[in-house]
Amino acid sequence: MAKVRIGNDVSMYPMPVVLVGAMVGGRPNFLTVAWVSRVNYDPPMVGIALGADHYTNPGIEGTGAFSINVPSVELVEKVDFCGMVSGRERDKGSLFALFYGEVTGVPMVDECPLCLECRVVKKVELPGDVLYIGEIVGSYAERRCVKRGKLDVHEIKPFALTMPDNRYWTLGEPLAKAWEVGKRLKKK
């Protein structure tokens, strides 16, 4: 198929939307983040990329911890708001019912069906952003979101962001079973 060169400022599609939580100046703060990914299997680690000047960064660095809160579609308005305003001007922690991690004491959003408590293991300074790599030291899920000991993404109801159209998207139907659908080609 023919390709068209589109430039280098391309976002990977889709980007999961989460709320990153941290204690900043003694108060819980949450920031909407779509640059988040699992980066290591064992021990389990995640990476989040935040703009270098975000209000949340000193909180993460001061405590050595952050949370990743996976919101459901019902929270889209509050999640969008948390991405539009700074914790310097607004107390975003007051938008949510909170609980705190058992290992790090990091704030988490009770309304989010899945919350991860992370301890910072590495900070990488990039030209305009900071990449924090955190080890998952605690994970908390609503009981309804766990089926046969595994997370059920349909119960979590997460959403994703696409750019440059700046839209939130829900998940669709399953396409195929991973590490299964390609087996036929292995036999050739």
Side-chain angles (χ1 to χ4, degrees), residues 115-188:
C115 302
L116 307 176
E117 176 183 13
C118 303
R119 181 177 328 176
V120 176
V121 295
K122 188 165 191 149
K123 172 187 171 185
V124 180
E125 293 189 29
L126 303 168
D129 296 309
V130 178
L131 175 66
Y132 295 100
I133 299 173
E135 179 180 355
I136 300 170
V137 296
S139 57
Y140 310 86
E142 290 180 12
R143 187 173 310 281
R144 68 177 175 77
C145 297
V146 180
K147 304 283 171 72
R148 295 177 296 286
K150 298 184 189 244
L151 290 171
D152 182 333
V153 71
H154 281 283
E155 288 294 328
I156 295 171
K157 296 191 265 181
F159 55 97
L161 170 70
T162 56
M163 294 173 72
D165 63 347
N166 299 332
R167 292 186 185 270
Y168 295 120
W169 297 82
T170 60
L171 293 182
E173 293 304 311
L175 173 64
K177 182 86 170 143
W179 296 283
E180 184 69 31
V181 70
K183 283 184 178 177
R184 185 180 60 85
L185 296 175
K186 282 180 80 173
K187 294 177 184 174
K188 287 185 177 186

Coordinates of all heavy atoms in Angstrom, one line a residue, residues 115-188:
C115 N -6.5 0.7 40.6 CA -5.5 1.7 41.1 C -4.2 0.9 41.4 O -4.2 -0.2 41.9 CB -5.9 2.3 42.4 SG -7.5 3.2 42.2
L116 N -3.1 1.5 40.9 CA -1.7 1.0 41.1 C -0.9 1.9 42.0 O -0.8 3.1 41.7 CB -1.0 0.7 39.8 CG -1.8 -0.1 38.7 CD1 -1.0 -0.1 37.4 CD2 -2.1 -1.5 39.2
E117 N -0.3 1.3 43.0 CA 0.6 2.1 43.9 C 2.0 1.8 43.4 O 2.4 0.6 43.3 CB 0.4 1.5 45.3 CG 1.3 2.1 46.4 CD 1.0 1.5 47.7 OE1 0.3 0.4 47.8 OE2 1.5 2.0 48.7
C118 N 2.8 2.8 43.1 CA 4.1 2.7 42.5 C 5.2 3.4 43.3 O 5.0 4.5 43.7 CB 4.1 3.2 41.1 SG 2.8 2.4 40.0
R119 N 6.3 2.7 43.4 CA 7.5 3.3 44.0 C 8.5 3.7 42.8 O 8.8 2.8 42.0 CB 8.2 2.3 44.9 CG 9.4 2.9 45.6 CD 10.0 1.9 46.6 NE 8.8 1.2 47.1 CZ 8.9 0.2 48.0 NH1 9.9 -0.2 48.4 NH2 7.8 -0.4 48.4
V120 N 9.0 4.9 42.8 CA 9.9 5.3 41.8 C 11.2 4.5 41.8 O 11.8 4.4 42.9 CB 10.2 6.8 41.8 CG1 11.2 7.3 40.8 CG2 8.9 7.6 41.7
V121 N 11.6 4.0 40.7 CA 12.9 3.3 40.6 C 13.9 4.0 39.7 O 15.1 3.8 39.8 CB 12.7 1.8 40.1 CG1 12.0 1.0 41.2 CG2 12.1 1.7 38.8
K122 N 13.3 4.9 38.8 CA 14.2 5.6 38.0 C 13.5 6.8 37.4 O 12.3 6.8 37.1 CB 14.7 4.7 36.8 CG 15.7 5.4 35.9 CD 16.4 4.3 35.1 CE 17.6 5.0 34.4 NZ 18.7 4.0 34.2
K123 N 14.3 7.9 37.3 CA 13.8 9.1 36.7 C 14.7 9.4 35.5 O 16.0 9.4 35.6 CB 13.9 10.3 37.7 CG 13.7 11.7 37.1 CD 13.9 12.8 38.1 CE 13.9 14.1 37.5 NZ 14.3 15.2 38.4
V124 N 14.1 9.6 34.3 CA 14.9 9.9 33.1 C 14.5 11.3 32.6 O 13.3 11.5 32.3 CB 14.7 8.9 32.0 CG1 15.5 9.2 30.7 CG2 15.0 7.5 32.5
E125 N 15.4 12.2 32.6 CA 15.1 13.6 32.1 C 15.3 13.6 30.5 O 16.3 13.2 30.0 CB 16.0 14.6 32.7 CG 15.7 14.7 34.2 CD 16.5 15.8 34.9 OE1 16.7 16.8 34.2 OE2 16.7 15.7 36.1
L126 N 14.2 14.0 29.9 CA 14.1 14.1 28.4 C 14.1 15.5 28.0 O 14.0 16.4 28.9 CB 12.9 13.3 27.9 CG 12.8 11.8 28.3 CD1 11.4 11.3 28.0 CD2 13.9 11.0 27.6
P127 N 14.2 15.9 26.8 CA 14.3 17.3 26.4 C 13.2 18.2 26.9 O 13.4 19.3 27.3 CB 14.3 17.3 24.9 CG 15.0 16.0 24.5 CD 14.5 15.0 25.6
G128 N 11.9 17.6 26.9 CA 10.8 18.4 27.4 C 10.0 17.8 28.5 O 9.1 18.4 29.0
D129 N 10.3 16.5 28.7 CA 9.5 15.7 29.6 C 10.4 15.0 30.6 O 11.6 15.0 30.5 CB 8.6 14.7 28.8 CG 7.6 15.3 27.9 OD1 6.9 16.2 28.4 OD2 7.6 15.0 26.7
V130 N 9.7 14.4 31.6 CA 10.4 13.5 32.6 C 9.7 12.2 32.5 O 8.5 12.1 32.6 CB 10.4 14.1 34.0 CG1 11.1 13.2 35.0 CG2 11.0 15.5 34.0
L131 N 10.5 11.1 32.4 CA 10.0 9.8 32.4 C 10.2 9.2 33.8 O 11.4 9.1 34.2 CB 10.7 8.9 31.3 CG 10.3 7.4 31.3 CD1 8.8 7.2 31.0 CD2 11.2 6.7 30.4
Y132 N 9.2 8.8 34.5 CA 9.3 8.2 35.8 C 9.0 6.7 35.6 O 7.9 6.4 35.0 CB 8.3 8.8 36.8 CG 8.6 10.2 37.1 CD1 7.9 11.2 36.5 CD2 9.6 10.6 38.0 CE1 8.1 12.6 36.9 CE2 9.9 11.9 38.4 CZ 9.1 12.9 37.8 OH 9.4 14.2 38.1
I133 N 9.9 5.9 36.0 CA 9.6 4.4 36.0 C 9.3 4.0 37.4 O 10.1 4.3 38.3 CB 10.8 3.7 35.4 CG1 11.0 4.1 34.0 CG2 10.6 2.2 35.5 CD1 12.3 3.6 33.3
G134 N 8.2 3.4 37.6 CA 7.8 3.0 39.0 C 7.5 1.5 39.0 O 7.0 0.9 38.1
E135 N 8.0 0.9 40.1 CA 7.6 -0.5 40.4 C 6.2 -0.6 41.0 O 6.0 0.2 42.0 CB 8.6 -1.2 41.3 CG 8.3 -2.6 41.6 CD 9.3 -3.3 42.6 OE1 10.3 -2.7 42.9 OE2 9.0 -4.4 42.9
I136 N 5.4 -1.4 40.5 CA 4.1 -1.6 41.1 C 4.2 -2.4 42.4 O 4.6 -3.5 42.4 CB 3.1 -2.3 40.2 CG1 3.0 -1.6 38.9 CG2 1.7 -2.5 40.8 CD1 2.2 -2.3 37.8
V137 N 3.9 -1.7 43.5 CA 4.1 -2.4 44.9 C 2.7 -2.7 45.5 O 2.7 -3.3 46.5 CB 5.0 -1.5 45.8 CG1 6.4 -1.4 45.3 CG2 4.4 -0.1 46.0
G138 N 1.7 -2.2 44.9 CA 0.3 -2.5 45.4 C -0.7 -2.3 44.2 O -0.5 -1.4 43.5
S139 N -1.6 -3.2 44.1 CA -2.7 -3.0 43.1 C -4.0 -3.3 43.8 O -4.1 -4.2 44.6 CB -2.5 -3.9 41.9 OG -2.4 -5.3 42.3
Y140 N -5.0 -2.5 43.4 CA -6.3 -2.5 44.0 C -7.4 -2.4 43.0 O -7.3 -1.5 42.1 CB -6.4 -1.3 45.0 CG -5.2 -1.2 46.0 CD1 -4.1 -0.5 45.6 CD2 -5.2 -1.8 47.2 CE1 -3.0 -0.4 46.4 CE2 -4.2 -1.7 48.1 CZ -3.0 -1.0 47.7 OH -2.0 -0.9 48.5
A141 N -8.3 -3.3 43.0 CA -9.4 -3.3 42.0 C -10.7 -3.6 42.7 O -10.8 -4.2 43.7 CB -9.1 -4.4 41.0
E142 N -11.7 -3.0 42.1 CA -13.1 -3.2 42.6 C -13.4 -4.7 42.3 O -13.1 -5.3 41.3 CB -14.1 -2.4 41.8 CG -14.0 -0.9 42.2 CD -15.0 0.0 41.4 OE1 -16.0 -0.6 40.8 OE2 -14.9 1.2 41.5
R143 N -14.1 -5.3 43.3 CA -14.3 -6.8 43.2 C -15.1 -7.1 41.9 O -14.8 -8.2 41.3 CB -15.2 -7.2 44.4 CG -15.4 -8.7 44.5 CD -16.1 -9.1 45.8 NE -15.5 -8.6 47.0 CZ -14.4 -9.0 47.6 NH1 -13.7 -10.0 47.1 NH2 -13.9 -8.5 48.7
R144 N -16.0 -6.3 41.4 CA -16.7 -6.6 40.2 C -15.9 -6.7 39.0 O -16.2 -7.2 37.9 CB -17.9 -5.6 40.0 CG -17.4 -4.2 39.7 CD -18.5 -3.2 39.4 NE -17.9 -1.9 39.2 CZ -17.3 -1.4 38.1 NH1 -17.2 -2.2 37.1 NH2 -16.8 -0.2 38.0
C145 N -14.7 -6.1 39.1 CA -13.7 -6.0 37.9 C -12.8 -7.2 37.9 O -12.0 -7.3 37.0 CB -12.9 -4.7 37.9 SG -14.0 -3.3 37.8
V146 N -12.9 -8.1 38.8 CA -12.0 -9.3 38.8 C -12.9 -10.5 38.6 O -13.8 -10.8 39.4 CB -11.3 -9.4 40.2 CG1 -10.4 -10.6 40.2 CG2 -10.5 -8.1 40.5
K147 N -12.6 -11.3 37.5 CA -13.3 -12.5 37.2 C -12.3 -13.6 37.1 O -11.4 -13.5 36.4 CB -14.0 -12.3 35.8 CG -15.0 -11.1 35.7 CD -16.3 -11.4 36.4 CE -17.2 -10.2 36.6 NZ -17.8 -9.6 35.5
R148 N -12.6 -14.7 37.9 CA -11.7 -15.8 37.9 C -10.2 -15.4 38.2 O -9.3 -15.9 37.5 CB -11.8 -16.7 36.6 CG -13.2 -17.3 36.5 CD -13.4 -18.0 35.2 NE -13.3 -17.2 34.0 CZ -14.3 -16.4 33.5 NH1 -15.4 -16.2 34.2 NH2 -14.1 -15.7 32.4
G149 N -10.0 -14.4 39.1 CA -8.7 -14.0 39.4 C -8.0 -13.1 38.5 O -6.8 -12.7 38.7
K150 N -8.7 -12.7 37.4 CA -8.1 -11.8 36.4 C -8.9 -10.6 36.2 O -10.2 -10.6 36.4 CB -7.9 -12.5 35.1 CG -7.0 -13.7 35.2 CD -6.8 -14.3 33.9 CE -6.0 -15.6 34.1 NZ -4.8 -15.7 33.5
L151 N -8.3 -9.5 35.8 CA -9.0 -8.2 35.5 C -9.9 -8.4 34.3 O -9.5 -9.0 33.3 CB -8.1 -7.1 35.3 CG -7.3 -6.6 36.6 CD1 -6.3 -5.6 36.2 CD2 -8.3 -6.0 37.6
D152 N -11.1 -7.9 34.4 CA -12.1 -7.9 33.3 C -12.2 -6.5 32.7 O -12.8 -5.6 33.4 CB -13.4 -8.4 33.8 CG -14.4 -8.5 32.7 OD1 -14.4 -7.7 31.7 OD2 -15.4 -9.3 32.8
V153 N -11.6 -6.2 31.6 CA -11.5 -4.9 31.0 C -12.9 -4.3 30.7 O -13.1 -3.1 30.8 CB -10.6 -4.9 29.7 CG1 -11.2 -5.6 28.6 CG2 -10.2 -3.4 29.4
H154 N -13.9 -5.2 30.4 CA -15.2 -4.7 30.1 C -15.9 -4.1 31.4 O -16.7 -3.2 31.3 CB -16.1 -5.7 29.5 CG -15.8 -5.9 28.0 ND1 -16.3 -5.0 27.1 CD2 -15.1 -6.8 27.3 CE1 -15.9 -5.4 25.9 NE2 -15.2 -6.4 26.0
E155 N -15.5 -4.7 32.5 CA -16.0 -4.1 33.8 C -15.3 -2.9 34.2 O -15.9 -2.0 34.8 CB -15.9 -5.2 34.9 CG -16.9 -6.4 34.8 CD -18.3 -6.0 35.0 OE1 -18.6 -5.0 35.7 OE2 -19.2 -6.6 34.3
I156 N -14.0 -2.8 33.9 CA -13.3 -1.5 34.2 C -13.8 -0.4 33.4 O -13.9 0.7 33.9 CB -11.8 -1.8 34.0 CG1 -11.3 -2.8 35.0 CG2 -11.0 -0.5 34.2 CD1 -9.8 -3.3 34.7
K157 N -14.1 -0.6 32.2 CA -14.6 0.4 31.2 C -13.6 1.6 31.1 O -14.0 2.7 31.2 CB -16.0 0.9 31.6 CG -17.1 -0.1 31.6 CD -18.4 0.5 31.7 CE -18.8 0.4 33.1 NZ -20.1 1.0 33.4
P158 N -12.3 1.3 30.7 CA -11.4 2.3 30.6 C -11.6 3.1 29.3 O -12.4 2.6 28.4 CB -10.0 1.6 30.5 CG -10.4 0.3 29.9 CD -11.8 0.0 30.4
F159 N -10.9 4.2 29.1 CA -11.0 4.9 27.8 C -9.6 5.3 27.4 O -8.7 5.3 28.1 CB -12.0 6.0 27.8 CG -11.9 7.0 28.9 CD1 -11.2 8.2 28.7 CD2 -12.4 6.8 30.2 CE1 -11.1 9.2 29.6 CE2 -12.2 7.8 31.2 CZ -11.6 9.0 30.9
A160 N -9.6 5.7 26.1 CA -8.3 6.1 25.5 C -8.4 7.5 24.9 O -9.5 8.0 24.6 CB -7.9 5.0 24.5
L161 N -7.2 8.0 24.6 CA -7.1 9.3 23.9 C -6.4 9.2 22.6 O -5.5 8.4 22.5 CB -6.3 10.3 24.8 CG -5.9 11.6 24.2 CD1 -7.1 12.5 24.0 CD2 -4.8 12.3 25.0
T162 N -6.9 9.9 21.6 CA -6.2 10.0 20.3 C -5.9 11.4 20.0 O -6.7 12.3 20.4 CB -7.1 9.4 19.1 OG1 -8.3 10.0 19.1 CG2 -7.2 7.9 19.3
M163 N -4.8 11.6 19.4 CA -4.4 13.0 19.0 C -3.9 12.9 17.5 O -3.5 11.9 17.1 CB -3.2 13.5 19.9 CG -3.7 13.6 21.3 SD -2.3 14.0 22.4 CE -1.9 15.7 22.0
P164 N -4.0 13.9 16.7 CA -4.3 15.3 17.1 C -5.8 15.6 17.1 O -6.2 16.8 17.3 CB -3.6 16.1 16.0 CG -3.7 15.2 14.8 CD -3.6 13.8 15.3
D165 N -6.7 14.6 17.0 CA -8.1 14.9 17.0 C -8.7 15.2 18.4 O -9.8 15.7 18.5 CB -9.0 13.8 16.3 CG -8.9 12.5 17.0 OD1 -8.0 12.3 17.8 OD2 -9.7 11.6 16.6
N166 N -7.9 14.9 19.4 CA -8.2 15.2 20.8 C -9.6 14.6 21.2 O -10.5 15.3 21.6 CB -8.1 16.7 21.1 CG -6.8 17.2 20.9 OD1 -5.8 16.5 21.0 ND2 -6.7 18.5 20.5
R167 N -9.7 13.3 21.0 CA -10.9 12.6 21.4 C -10.7 11.5 22.3 O -9.6 10.8 22.3 CB -11.6 12.0 20.1 CG -12.1 13.1 19.2 CD -12.9 12.4 18.0 NE -13.3 13.4 17.1 CZ -14.4 14.1 17.1 NH1 -15.3 13.9 18.1 NH2 -14.7 15.0 16.2
Y168 N -11.7 11.3 23.2 CA -11.6 10.1 24.1 C -12.5 9.0 23.4 O -13.5 9.3 22.8 CB -12.3 10.4 25.4 CG -11.5 11.4 26.2 CD1 -12.1 12.6 26.6 CD2 -10.2 11.2 26.6 CE1 -11.4 13.6 27.4 CE2 -9.4 12.1 27.3 CZ -10.1 13.3 27.7 OH -9.3 14.2 28.5
W169 N -12.0 7.8 23.5 CA -12.6 6.6 22.9 C -12.8 5.5 23.9 O -12.0 5.3 24.8 CB -11.7 6.1 21.8 CG -11.5 7.0 20.7 CD1 -10.6 8.0 20.6 CD2 -12.2 7.1 19.4 NE1 -10.6 8.7 19.4 CE2 -11.6 8.1 18.7 CE3 -13.2 6.3 18.9 CZ2 -12.1 8.4 17.4 CZ3 -13.6 6.6 17.6 CH2 -13.1 7.7 16.9
T170 N -13.9 4.8 23.8 CA -14.2 3.6 24.6 C -13.6 2.4 23.8 O -13.3 2.5 22.6 CB -15.7 3.4 24.8 OG1 -16.3 3.2 23.6 CG2 -16.3 4.6 25.6
L171 N -13.5 1.3 24.6 CA -13.0 0.1 23.9 C -14.1 -0.6 23.1 O -15.3 -0.5 23.5 CB -12.5 -0.9 25.0 CG -11.2 -0.5 25.7 CD1 -10.9 -1.6 26.7 CD2 -10.1 -0.2 24.8
G172 N -13.8 -1.3 22.1 CA -14.7 -2.0 21.3 C -14.8 -3.5 21.7 O -14.5 -3.8 22.9
E173 N -15.1 -4.3 20.8 CA -15.2 -5.7 21.0 C -13.9 -6.4 20.9 O -13.0 -5.9 20.1 CB -16.2 -6.4 20.1 CG -17.7 -5.9 20.3 CD -18.1 -6.2 21.8 OE1 -17.9 -7.3 22.2 OE2 -18.6 -5.2 22.4
P174 N -13.7 -7.6 21.5 CA -12.4 -8.3 21.3 C -12.2 -8.7 19.9 O -13.2 -9.0 19.2 CB -12.6 -9.6 22.2 CG -13.7 -9.2 23.2 CD -14.6 -8.2 22.5
L175 N -11.0 -8.7 19.4 CA -10.7 -9.0 18.0 C -10.2 -10.4 17.9 O -10.7 -11.2 17.0 CB -9.6 -8.0 17.5 CG -9.0 -8.3 16.1 CD1 -10.1 -8.2 15.1 CD2 -7.9 -7.4 15.8
A176 N -9.3 -10.8 18.7 CA -8.7 -12.2 18.6 C -8.0 -12.5 19.9 O -7.7 -11.6 20.7 CB -7.8 -12.3 17.4
K177 N -7.7 -13.7 20.1 CA -6.9 -14.1 21.3 C -5.4 -14.0 21.0 O -4.9 -14.6 20.1 CB -7.3 -15.6 21.6 CG -6.6 -16.1 22.9 CD -7.4 -15.8 24.1 CE -6.8 -16.6 25.3 NZ -6.8 -15.9 26.5
A178 N -4.7 -13.2 21.9 CA -3.3 -13.0 21.7 C -2.5 -14.3 22.0 O -2.9 -15.1 22.8 CB -2.8 -11.9 22.7
W179 N -1.4 -14.4 21.3 CA -0.6 -15.6 21.4 C -1.4 -16.9 21.0 O -1.0 -18.0 21.4 CB 0.1 -15.8 22.7 CG 1.0 -14.6 23.0 CD1 2.2 -14.5 22.6 CD2 0.7 -13.5 23.8 NE1 2.8 -13.3 23.0 CE2 1.8 -12.7 23.8 CE3 -0.4 -13.1 24.6 CZ2 1.9 -11.5 24.5 CZ3 -0.3 -11.9 25.3 CH2 0.8 -11.1 25.2
E180 N -2.4 -16.6 20.2 CA -3.2 -17.8 19.7 C -3.5 -17.6 18.2 O -3.3 -18.5 17.5 CB -4.5 -17.8 20.5 CG -5.4 -19.0 20.2 CD -4.8 -20.3 20.6 OE1 -4.1 -20.4 21.6 OE2 -5.1 -21.3 19.9
V181 N -4.0 -16.4 17.8 CA -4.5 -16.2 16.5 C -3.4 -16.4 15.5 O -3.6 -16.9 14.3 CB -5.2 -14.8 16.3 CG1 -4.2 -13.7 16.4 CG2 -6.0 -14.7 15.0
G182 N -2.1 -16.2 15.8 CA -1.0 -16.3 14.9 C -0.4 -17.7 14.8 O 0.5 -17.9 14.0
K183 N -0.9 -18.6 15.6 CA -0.3 -20.0 15.6 C -0.4 -20.7 14.2 O 0.5 -21.4 13.9 CB -1.0 -20.8 16.7 CG -0.5 -20.5 18.0 CD -1.2 -21.5 19.1 CE -0.7 -21.2 20.4 NZ -1.3 -22.0 21.4
R184 N -1.5 -20.4 13.5 CA -1.6 -21.1 12.2 C -0.4 -20.7 11.3 O 0.1 -21.6 10.5 CB -2.9 -20.7 11.5 CG -3.2 -21.4 10.2 CD -4.5 -20.9 9.6 NE -4.6 -19.5 9.3 CZ -4.2 -19.0 8.2 NH1 -3.6 -19.7 7.3 NH2 -4.3 -17.7 8.0
L185 N 0.0 -19.5 11.3 CA 1.2 -19.1 10.5 C 2.5 -19.7 11.0 O 3.4 -19.9 10.2 CB 1.3 -17.5 10.5 CG 0.1 -16.8 9.9 CD1 0.3 -15.3 10.0 CD2 -0.1 -17.2 8.4
K186 N 2.6 -20.0 12.2 CA 3.8 -20.7 12.8 C 4.0 -22.1 12.1 O 5.1 -22.5 12.0 CB 3.8 -20.8 14.3 CG 4.1 -19.5 15.0 CD 4.0 -19.8 16.5 CE 5.3 -20.4 17.0 NZ 5.4 -20.5 18.4
K187 N 2.9 -22.7 11.8 CA 3.0 -24.1 11.2 C 3.4 -24.1 9.8 O 3.7 -25.1 9.3 CB 1.6 -24.7 11.4 CG 1.2 -24.9 12.8 CD -0.2 -25.5 13.0 CE -0.6 -25.6 14.4 NZ -1.9 -26.0 14.6
K188 N 3.4 -23.0 9.1 CA 3.7 -22.9 7.7 C 5.2 -23.0 7.5 O 6.0 -22.5 8.2 CB 3.2 -21.6 7.0 CG 1.7 -21.7 6.9 CD 1.2 -20.5 6.1 CE -0.2 -20.6 5.8 NZ -0.7 -19.6 5.0

